[in-house]
Amino acid sequence: MWWIIGVALQICIIGLGIRREQRSGLWNWSKFAFATAFGIIECFLILVPILYLNPRSRYFGVVMAAAVLLALLNFIGMIVLARRWKLPDGRTSLQAYRDRQRIVPGQEQR
């Protein structure tokens, strides 16, 4: 029962994040699709050993550790890649985020 509330809360948080990014002009559907596919791949990397290997096997720990390490390295690579994504105006996502943080409330962006 609690997982339903967790999923609903996650959907709400994602929806609010999308709205905020759309208002600030940083939203891109292709990035969303890529990030969603990336998340699914990460889940599969962790779940496949759990679902298909016998937990009492002597290889389970080694395979699980390798899967977690691969998922971690994949995640770090995703962060590096995401920092280089370009927006339609040519700025990277990181530059746009920094520019947005420097804006004082009440001032217009130039």
Side-chain angles (χ1 to χ4, degrees):
M1 179 67 178
W2 284 101
W3 69 271
I4 296 172
I5 295 170
V7 169
L9 183 62
Q10 186 69 32
I11 290 170
C12 290
I13 291 170
I14 290 170
L16 291 172
I18 289 171
R19 292 288 181 157
R20 186 181 67 225
E21 295 292 310
Q22 284 175 334
R23 279 194 300 268
S24 64
L26 301 176
W27 181 249
N28 188 336
W29 280 105
S30 62
K31 285 185 198 177
F32 177 73
F34 183 75
T36 303
F38 171 78
I40 291 169
I41 290 170
E42 290 287 301
C43 288
F44 279 124
L45 282 173
I46 301 297
L47 288 176
V48 165
I50 292 172
L51 295 175
Y52 290 107
L53 287 178
N54 182 3
R56 294 189 178 142
S57 169
R58 66 184 209 187
Y59 299 113
F60 181 77
V62 174
V63 171
M64 195 63 206
V68 169
L69 180 64
L70 182 62
L72 181 64
L73 291 174
N74 195 20
F75 184 74
I76 292 168
M78 173 66 175
I79 290 172
V80 170
L81 178 68
R83 292 180 135 209
R84 286 192 232 135
W85 278 337
K86 300 281 184 185
L87 295 169
D89 62 2
R91 297 180 297 167
T92 63
S93 299
L94 187 58
Q95 288 169 333
Y97 177 76
R98 287 179 181 157
D99 291 346
R100 189 175 56 181
Q101 295 298 333
R102 291 184 190 131
I103 297 174
V104 177
Q107 285 185 342
E108 303 242 348
Q109 188 175 10
R110 296 178 192 181

